[in-house]
Amino acid sequence: MKRKILISVFTIIAVFGYQKIQEDFEKTTNTVYVNGNIITLEDDYPIAQAMFVKDGKIEAIGKNEDVALFKNKNNTVVDLKGATILPGFIDPHTHVALSAFLDGMIDLSGFKHRSNKEVWNYLKEQIKTKKEGEWVVCKGLDPVLVEDLKTPHIAFLDEIAPKNPIIIISQSLHSYWVNSLTFKKANIDKTSKNPSKTSYYDKDENGNLTGFIAEQEAIHPILTLMKKEYLTSKMLIKSTTAVLNKYAKNGNTTVVSQGIYINDKKPLRLYKHLSEETPSFINQLFSSFGILPERKQYPRHFIYVRYDKAFLLPSEKREDDFYAIIGIKHWYDGSPYTGSMFIKEPYLVSNLTKNEFRIKEGYTGKPLIKKSDLVNFIEKYTQKGWQISVHTQGDIANENVLNAFKEVNTHLNIQPFRHRIEHCLLVSDTTLLAMKELNMTPSFHINHLYYYGKALSNDILGKERTQKILPVSFAQKIGLKYSLHADQPMFESNPFRLMQTSIERQTKEGDTIGLSYQISLLNALKAMTIHAAWQIHMEDKIGSLKKGKYADFIIVDKNVLQIPTSELENVNVLKTFINGNEVK
């Protein structure tokens, strides 16, 4: 009898414990929203007054009377009192892992500091707070946004941090500076070979390291070491949840990580746990022990892995509306702010390009991958069923990449995949037409224009070439679906700022660049929503407000259709809903 009682007690405890562990965050109840200004981005009914959300999806949308029958005691009713609702924004090109990695770093950016003196005085003060041997990790160094900035020599870094390894990451994320202790810890010295011609350890005329490092391959061993010694699991979890929450607060209901830079699958468990619709028992168990964080509503998260991290790809492509690895990314060229963007005509010779970016006179950049290798890459992963995105900035780079896709398409139909080109700074009309023929899609890094337009025009490319950057309206004209992005953490993922720049074509100084390439507000909205959804094969589920689609939407404090374009960046997101659930 006692044994039966004990078994019964243990069974009850086990069942109770299982149910307790499986409990998820509290979901928003089925809700009727009325008396609103709902901008649907659906051509059939662009503006609605009311919407009924049931079990995370839109059950009805239209006039107040169209949803009146759902106003009953079982459903919550919210009177919007004329407030504006928009579909949730989709960030089509961002870096969640890198944003989390940088989240707690010392900020040396032009957003925080206005002068060379401010930058280095701030860093010296921060170094004083560190213990001996502790990493000094900095972000945001930028000689464009801080116009009198002098980038550091290794001797200066050794002087201010003689007992601490130091790494400074540029705002562009393509340049780095370290001191001697960092090189020593990573077993790098003046005899170390450069990984490639475009990714290297800079040396002076005597062959000594200057502390400057260009591009990803060369910095990789230092970043790997730093992650082991600096970025703990607790820090990663805290920064990841903070970063995802900020995306949502900015109105992003879906984020797309482009070329995720991790060395094992552990972070993927974290991302899946945070974004999936229904958590797994094992992940909830980990959460109950504090190994994973408690769940709340976070953005949908889709991932393209890096070309050199293909082991992260699952054996089979998994269709999931909330979290999934959906493709693979490669880099064909680099950045205009290191001279690694591949262009037909040389960079300008200026103090900025010569002394701060270290670009040699007459240099045009180089491809990071041979054309034959790119063709093989495209063919291999297309055959495996994966969507491909390629980082491509320069005019000749865009042309060469499209020719590689064309070559593959002669014997393998790539059109169903909607392969992507990322950034497209100097993409030509001819290249965009070729993309249209192949059913490919560009994502424009429009912040090049806003933050760096003046430097591109005066110091890097010259006025004539700069007037042709980011030809968004031509893509619109030929019916090519495209999106806009901020490339966070390079710049904050602020959809309204991106849209304003695409419409005004103005730099932060107020200069106008390539006004003929401006687009309308409606098209800018679609680029941030339904077209970005199309790029990831999700246009039937998210990106606009329509019966049957997920209830991903935001409530904002201004009617964006009735305010001057210059006021877009001042629009505030009051509430964000994902799958019908309010982000809190």
Side-chain angles (χ1 to χ4, degrees):
M1 178 63 72
K2 289 182 179 180
R3 183 179 179 184
K4 288 183 179 181
I5 292 173
L6 285 173
I7 291 173
S8 298
V9 169
F10 282 128
T11 300
I12 292 170
I13 291 173
V15 169
F16 177 79
Y18 179 83
Q19 291 175 341
K20 188 69 177 174
I21 288 170
Q22 283 290 83
E23 285 182 4
D24 203 6
F25 62 88
E26 185 177 355
K27 305 297 194 293
T28 300
T29 57
N30 295 338
T31 305
V32 178
Y33 298 90
V34 297
N35 300 321
N37 173 51
I38 304 175
I39 301 172
T40 70
L41 295 184
E42 285 288 327
D43 294 336
D44 294 343
Y45 53 99
I47 304 294
Q49 292 177 313
M51 178 170 66
F52 174 47
V53 176
K54 179 181 179 182
D55 298 330
K57 291 188 176 182
I58 299 171
E59 182 76 10
I61 187 168
K63 296 179 180 179
N64 285 326
E65 52 265 34
D66 295 332
V67 299
L69 62 94
F70 299 106
K71 294 169 68 174
N72 56 54
K73 64 180 181 179
N74 297 319
N75 301 320
T76 301
V77 178
V78 173
D79 186 349
L80 294 167
K81 299 179 181 179
T84 295
I85 283 181
L86 288 166
F89 293 117
I90 298 167
D91 187 330
H93 183 122
T94 194
H95 302 278
V96 172
L98 190 54
S99 295
F101 177 57
L102 295 173
D103 188 56
M105 292 183 183
I106 298 168
D107 187 355
L108 303 182
S109 74
F111 302 111
K112 188 178 180 70
H113 310 283
R114 294 302 174 200
S115 69
N116 181 73
K117 184 178 180 180
E118 278 188 37
V119 168
W120 301 121
N121 283 346
Y122 180 72
L123 177 56
K124 289 174 185 177
E125 290 301 315
Q126 291 298 307
I127 290 172
K128 292 178 183 178
T129 67
K130 304 294 182 182
K131 299 176 182 177
E132 182 176 331
E134 187 177 354
W135 278 89
V136 178
V137 185
C138 313
K139 64 180 178 180
L141 198 68
D142 191 344
V144 177
L145 297 183
V146 181
E147 293 189 14
D148 71 336
L149 183 73
K150 301 299 180 185
T151 51
H153 188 272
I154 194 169
F156 171 72
L157 297 179
D158 288 346
E159 178 186 346
I160 63 174
K163 298 181 179 180
N164 298 83
I166 186 169
I167 178 171
I168 301 174
I169 302 173
S170 70
Q171 185 70 23
S172 72
L173 308 175
H174 288 265
S175 302
Y176 309 84
W177 295 263
V178 303
N179 64 354
S180 295
L181 184 54
T182 301
F183 275 131
K184 183 178 180 180
K185 287 175 69 69
N187 295 317
I188 296 169
D189 59 30
K190 64 181 183 180
T191 66
S192 299
K193 292 183 179 180
N194 293 324
S196 70
K197 291 181 179 179
T198 55
S199 187
Y200 58 87
Y201 308 106
D202 188 53
K203 296 169 186 172
D204 62 21
E205 62 275 11
N206 297 316
N208 295 315
L209 294 166
T210 69
F212 175 72
I213 300 173
E215 289 295 347
Q216 312 300 319
E217 292 175 281
I219 197 65
H220 179 67
I222 293 173
L223 290 180
T224 300
L225 174 66
M226 187 184 70
K227 287 176 182 178
K228 290 179 181 178
E229 298 186 1
Y230 167 78
L231 190 64
T232 64
S233 295
K234 186 176 181 180
M235 284 176 61
L236 176 65
I237 290 172
K238 182 179 179 181
S239 59
T240 299
T241 54
V243 163
L244 284 172
N245 195 59
K246 191 165 186 182
Y247 278 111
K249 295 299 184 181
N250 279 345
N252 295 293
T253 53
T254 297
V255 295
V256 182
S257 285
Q258 281 280 352
I260 192 165
Y261 203 104
I262 56 176
N263 293 315
D264 60 60
K265 295 183 178 182
K266 292 178 183 177
L268 297 180
R269 178 181 288 276
L270 172 64
Y271 304 148
K272 184 175 186 293
H273 174 67
L274 294 175
S275 292
E276 64 184 339
E277 182 180 21
T278 304
S280 68
F281 174 77
I282 189 67
N283 283 348
Q284 285 292 76
L285 183 62
F286 285 157
S287 178
S288 68
F289 285 107
I291 299 171
L292 288 173
E294 289 186 12
R295 275 168 49 87
K296 51 175 279 188
Q297 185 64 65
Y298 289 104
R300 301 171 196 273
H301 190 180
F302 302 104
I303 294 172
Y304 294 79
V305 305
R306 283 176 57 97
Y307 68 96
D308 54 353
K309 307 293 180 185
F311 64 87
L312 296 172
L313 291 171
S315 56
E316 293 182 358
K317 190 173 181 181
R318 175 173 171 260
E319 299 296 334
D320 191 293
D321 294 346
F322 292 82
Y323 165 84
I325 293 175
I326 62 174
I328 189 166
K329 179 186 177 185
H330 215 307
W331 280 253
Y332 186 75
D333 68 349
S335 166
Y337 317 115
T338 60
S340 54
M341 177 175 71
F342 188 25
I343 50 180
K344 292 180 181 178
E345 300 297 326
Y347 291 88
L348 291 187
V349 178
S350 67
N351 177 63
L352 185 65
T353 56
K354 184 178 180 180
N355 297 321
E356 302 303 332
F357 294 164
R358 292 174 170 79
I359 302 174
K360 295 178 181 178
E361 185 173 349
Y363 193 63
T364 59
K366 293 181 182 294
L368 302 178
I369 178 176
K370 294 178 181 177
K371 182 186 175 184
S372 59
D373 291 338
L374 181 60
V375 168
N376 291 337
F377 171 81
I378 294 168
E379 184 172 311
K380 176 180 179 180
Y381 289 102
T382 299
Q383 288 177 330
K384 289 178 177 288
W386 294 106
Q387 189 182 30
I388 296 166
S389 69
V390 182
H391 169 118
T392 312
Q393 300 261 30
D395 44 13
I396 189 65
N398 276 282
E399 184 179 314
N400 289 352
V401 168
L402 260 293
N403 285 336
F405 277 103
K406 277 184 179 179
E407 184 173 328
V408 174
N409 193 60
T410 59
H411 57 276
L412 181 64
N413 182 17
I414 69 170
Q415 293 189 22
F417 293 87
R418 305 177 187 176
H419 292 321
R420 302 175 48 157
I421 303 296
E422 306 301 311
H423 302 323
C424 303
L425 180 65
L426 280 171
V427 67
S428 68
D429 293 354
T430 302
T431 300
L432 289 173
L433 284 166
M435 292 181 69
K436 172 69 174 175
E437 292 178 5
L438 295 173
N439 199 38
M440 294 178 62
T441 174
S443 189
F444 292 102
H445 188 350
I446 202 72
N447 274 337
H448 276 302
L449 193 159
Y450 182 71
Y451 289 106
Y452 293 156
K454 178 182 176 182
L456 287 167
S457 183
N458 296 344
D459 299 295
I460 303 172
L461 296 176
K463 288 181 172 57
E464 184 178 348
R465 275 188 292 184
T466 302
Q467 288 295 323
K468 299 177 182 178
I469 65 172
L470 303 160
V472 185
S473 70
F474 186 80
Q476 180 69 43
K477 179 181 177 181
I478 64 175
L480 185 62
K481 287 186 172 62
Y482 59 87
S483 63
L484 308 171
H485 66 264
D487 201 19
Q488 184 175 313
M490 186 175 180
F491 299 106
E492 183 181 359
S493 181
N494 185 333
F496 291 106
R497 176 67 261 172
L498 295 175
M499 290 190 292
Q500 184 170 330
T501 300
S502 70
I503 298 165
E504 293 181 332
R505 300 285 300 194
Q506 287 186 354
T507 68
K508 62 182 177 66
E509 294 83 10
D511 300 322
T512 300
I513 291 176
L515 190 60
S516 62
Y517 289 129
Q518 69 180 160
I519 58 174
S520 68
L521 171 61
L522 181 60
N523 287 327
L525 280 167
K526 287 184 176 181
M528 300 299 303
T529 54
I530 188 63
H531 291 170
W534 184 89
Q535 287 184 321
I536 57 172
H537 298 263
M538 289 281 288
E539 71 274 17
D540 292 334
K541 297 176 179 179
I542 58 176
S544 66
L545 301 177
K546 179 181 180 180
K547 181 179 178 179
K549 284 192 172 186
Y550 286 107
D552 290 9
F553 62 94
I554 58 175
I555 302 176
V556 296
D557 66 345
K558 296 178 179 68
N559 183 345
V560 296
L561 300 180
Q562 296 180 356
I563 61 174
T565 301
S566 59
E567 288 295 310
L568 277 173
E569 66 178 335
N570 297 321
V571 173
N572 294 307
V573 177
L574 302 177
K575 292 185 178 182
T576 300
F577 293 81
I578 301 168
N579 194 32
N581 301 311
E582 183 179 353
V583 176
K584 297 179 180 178

